[in-house]
Amino acid sequence: MADNQSANIQALLSALNVFTRAPDKTSLENANSWLQDFQHSPEAWSTCNVLLLSPDAPPAAKLFAAQTFRSKVTYDLHQVDPLNLLPLRDTLVTALERYQSGPKTIITQLCLALSGLALQLPAWDNALQSIVETFGANPVTVPVLLQFLTILPEEVSGNTRIPVTDDEYRERSTKLLSDNSEQVLELLSMYLQATGVTHAVQSQIFDCLRSWLVAGEIDMPAFGKSPLLAFAFEALASEELFDSAVDVVCEMIHETQEIDDNMPVIELIVPRVIALKSQLEDKKDDPEKIRGYAKIFAEAGETYRLLILQHTDTFYPIVEAIGQCSAYPDLDIVPITFPFWMRLAQTIGKKTTISPLFGEAYKALMAVVIRHLHFPPDLASITGQEADNFRSFRHVMGDTLKDCCLVLGADACLLSAYGLITMALSRSPQSISWQEIEAPLFAMRSMGAEVDVMDETAVPKIMDLIPSLPIHPRVRYAALLIISRYTEWINRHPDYIAYQLQYISAGFEDPDSEVSAAAGQALKYLCQDCKQHLIEFLPTLHTFLTTTGAKLAQDDRRQVYEAIAYVISAMSMEKAAESLRTFSLDILSQIHAISSKTTAVTKQELKEVGYGLENLEVMLHVVGPFGDQLPAACQNSCQEAWSIFDTFISKFAFDYDTSERVTRVLRHGITLFGESALSVASSVLSRMVTSFEATGFSSFLWISGKFVGRFGHESDPVLRNAFQNIYERATNKVVSLLQSKDPRDIPDVLEDYVQLLLQLIRMAPDVFFQSSAFPLAFRATMAALTLIHSDLVFASLDLFRDILTHESLTPSSSPPPKFPIYSSAIKAVMEKEGFEFVGYMLSGLVGDFPEDSTAIVVTIFRAVALLWSTQLVAWLPPILQQLPPSSAPNQVKRQFLLDVTNSLNTAQYDKVKYSILALHRASRKARDRRRVTPLNQA
């Protein structure tokens, strides 16, 4: 046995040694896997004990041993004989004594192990007291005790992986924490006041106190009588203790949120909090100190907001202090205060009357936020990342402006921002910075969601102001986004539309790309919300497209087409069809022209046609279908359009982007034309399968699946032949691709192929099951199960479920004529592929199948057990042997085989479900354990 242990130690040291050099990836993975497997083994207990107590063991081995004890106490305590649990405790305490002077990482791991053991070991009746007695008397070992006391509530409350029942947890957590909280307070108070206590120990005391406060185990009335409360505030004056003291003060305030129960403690806390207000001025040049005070004031404000409203005279200084923190120039500190302002505003909103002081506070806050919204005077002085961060933060500040609206009213807030702009504009143009115009405009945009669409006070002034704003790209950008935000108001005030269109049109001509994009967004929302009023402007918009449209960037041009589509959607059906035809013909003629070209097509020409397809797609998406009866303008459009697309695809299918765009347009064509598209369906499917064979692009399979889904119920022989044609040719192509490529290289092809198969089995089972492609399709879909790709795995599992639970497999005295053919086809495939199929299923179940797929796996497995029970009993042993122990421990696999065999032998097929669920749970637990063990840091 000693020889075996020595061998284990040598192997372990060799594996750990891999991490000390620069290994290749394979060596690293092998070493990590070996260490994790070893950590799961029963031998690890004794081996790690030897390493931990060996003076000659390298530091990495000692840390690994401590980590292993912590891990095994969490997961593997069942490996220890119950008679040896208390000796295990003694072993860990002895090790902790050995390492009392460090390193801290080992002390931490041993404290975690002891905490986990204490939770699971009722026989250790006086766990906390025994650790106090062992380490609490000697000043040298007090830091070890404080570390244990800090970790105990965190581990007991937070480590959900420890296997105890709810009742066991309640009983032991009460015994370990609640019953000892008073003693812990007394102990911490004693150490705090001890002669010669160091800052390091005081910091540990605060960390420990915070841990017990966070766990909710401190009785606040008792805490109020403890010297710890006063000392926490006094420690704020200490450089060394400041951060720890801030955390404790915030937690003690948070723990008094049950106001009525804790008023005596609150009366002790609040004067001390208010007394800190002077520090905001004294420490204004120290951002870290201000950050700490901001946390304290914000916590007090949030926790005591009802008291602030009820006893404003006493508590208002807290609001003033939070206002000072909000006004601080460091924008990393300012957002600490925002949750307070939000919650206070929500509470104020429920009150009928409040002190006017709160109105003043929110007016001041709004002025502060708008000041913070100003871009720096020199944008070149900040990096691109800083600029992005500032832009993101402006939107956060915008939410705080909405809180101001809740208290002050949207009109008052908008007029205040309006006043800032008019005040700036009253000065000479040379003295105005664009920032002082843009920031209030941004504020107006942020507050737009709070505006009443019937407002006649503030918004008209803003709309009248926009045309007279200075011509600066940032100002114009902000003004255009205001138009975007206020389009619902404009819909109720259509007299402004003409002026807004002029301003938007000018925005498209601005050389700044962001301004042009904002103009596109403004036009889109204006047309979306004011579409009825814009019908008369449609010819103007068409002229704009044919003249200025070509100069626009594609993103902006697409937004214009989307905007126009919203207007078309508001027209009568006949006029809408005519307008859609007008705009579509512009694009179709472009496609026809490039298809008819006899000379080589340039990349730019093809890209422009791709843009046209994007624009057509967005229009069709917005306009949607016309219903069963097409308007006269669309009667022949389907055949006309398809003849153009057919020629185009035949020439340009090899361009990936083009194939993606054209098939998306065809998808909307199905929606637009409905039953009328039936006349071209066979031709479309023929072109799609030819294009897929030539290119291997998945989009051709995707659109084919949409056609089968839409017309699969049709009995037309030509169309049924088209279904069979695409099924067989697409399957042959996919099989060919899988022979030359790894499934991981073609997940898009596999997903769209499986989706096509799903449409076929559901809409055309006669085609699906009777074709010679069926066995090949079954095998190709199995390859999809090997990928880490949720949508594809779910689609594949859905297909296998549909196959293996098909009605044709259910015995019937008078089945439909084709059911015996379907049943024979399924059984023939399973006889050939069943072993490999079940292997893929179980490998995915314990491997990388999505978490939510278990129910489908259960259904499939039950179907296999019901129809192929004899074969399943023979298949399982070699399949289970192949599953890696890291995902399915050997004991779990043996139990699974036993349970499934018993279910099959007793014909209790429903019990297979519980076997699958048990295997899945065990594999997840094993995988989770490996994920949380950072062995490469040992």
Side-chain angles (χ1 to χ4, degrees), residues 682 685-686 689 693 708 716-732 753 756-757 760 764-774 818:
S682 298
L685 289 172
S686 176
V689 74
E693 285 176 324
V708 174
D716 175 32
V718 175
L719 189 58
R720 307 307 282 185
N721 285 336
F723 292 160
Q724 183 173 346
N725 183 46
I726 194 163
Y727 177 30
E728 293 176 354
R729 290 168 64 184
T731 297
N732 288 333
Y753 173 66
L756 171 62
L757 297 181
L760 284 165
D766 54 325
V767 174
F768 183 76
F769 286 118
Q770 294 184 104
S771 169
S772 59
F774 174 53
K818 294 184 178 179

Side-chain angles (χ1 to χ4, degrees), residues 70 87 117 248 357 621 743:
R70 189 272 171 109
L117 184 62
V248 167
L357 289 173
H621 173 71

Side-chain angles (χ1 to χ4, degrees), residues 404-424:
C404 296
C405 290
L406 194 58
V407 175
L408 302 172
D411 277 7
C413 292
L414 287 173
L415 288 172
S416 179
Y418 170 82
L420 291 173
I421 296 175
T422 55
M423 190 186 305

Side-chain angles (χ1 to χ4, degrees), residues 180-364:
N180 290 307
S181 62
E182 190 173 339
Q183 180 191 354
V184 169
L185 276 182
E186 292 172 359
L187 202 64
L188 296 179
S189 300
M190 180 185 74
Y191 289 139
L192 191 65
Q193 299 171 90
T195 305
V197 64
T198 64
H199 284 311
V201 170
Q202 288 175 325
S203 182
Q204 269 197 288
I205 291 169
F206 280 137
D207 290 344
C208 181
L209 176 58
R210 179 179 178 274
S211 179
W212 283 74
L213 283 166
V214 169
E217 294 294 344
I218 296 296
D219 177 66
M220 293 311 293
F223 179 71
K225 298 171 185 176
S226 156
L228 292 168
L229 187 150
F231 191 78
F233 281 96
E234 292 165 12
L236 292 168
S238 164
E239 287 290 333
E240 295 86 354
L241 299 177
F242 182 79
D243 290 339
S244 297
V246 166
D247 289 341
V248 167
V249 170
C250 287
E251 290 302 334
M252 76 166 77
I253 292 170
H254 186 75
E255 283 302 302
T256 59
Q257 58 188 302
E258 300 295 336
I259 302 295
D260 294 339
D261 297 339
N262 291 297
M263 273 311 295
V265 187
I266 293 171
E267 288 169 357
L268 295 173
I269 292 173
V270 169
R272 288 179 166 87
V273 171
I274 292 174
L276 297 173
K277 187 182 169 195
S278 61
Q279 295 297 307
L280 295 175
E281 180 61 29
D282 296 344
K283 298 291 191 298
K284 64 183 179 183
D285 296 326
D286 187 343
E288 291 311 307
K289 289 288 193 300
I290 299 299
R291 184 192 307 276
Y293 292 127
K295 288 178 181 178
I296 292 172
F297 286 121
E299 185 64 54
E302 289 183 56
T303 304
Y304 304 141
R305 62 186 182 278
L306 289 176
L307 292 173
I308 290 172
L309 291 172
Q310 293 165 2
H311 307 285
T312 304
D313 292 343
T314 301
F315 286 85
Y316 193 72
I318 295 176
V319 179
E320 292 177 319
I322 297 172
Q324 285 182 253
C325 296
S326 297
Y328 195 69
D330 189 329
L331 296 187
D332 286 335
I333 292 171
V334 172
I336 294 171
T337 67
F338 288 169
F340 162 74
W341 295 115
M342 178 191 70
R343 292 191 174 96
L344 182 64
Q346 290 170 343
T347 307
I348 287 173
K350 300 171 186 175
K351 301 285 183 182
T352 52
T353 58
I354 57 164
S355 165
L357 289 173
F358 295 107
E360 295 303 315
Y362 276 92
K363 285 178 185 175

Side-chain angles (χ1 to χ4, degrees), residues 169-187:
Y169 175 79
R170 279 190 291 270
E171 181 181 340
R172 287 302 291 164
S173 64
T174 300
K175 192 82 174 171
L176 291 169
L177 302 179
S178 306
D179 292 352
N180 290 307
S181 62
E182 190 173 339
Q183 180 191 354
V184 169
L185 276 182
E186 292 172 359
L187 202 64

Side-chain angles (χ1 to χ4, degrees), residues 91-105:
T91 297
L92 293 172
V93 172
T94 300
L96 196 54
E97 290 178 295
R98 175 75 62 90
Y99 289 96
Q100 61 184 251
S101 57
K104 187 177 179 181
T105 50

Side-chain angles (χ1 to χ4, degrees), residues 626-630 673 675-676 710:
F626 286 114
D628 294 335
Q629 189 64 40
L630 285 179
F673 292 112
E675 289 296 322
S676 298
R710 179 65 179 81

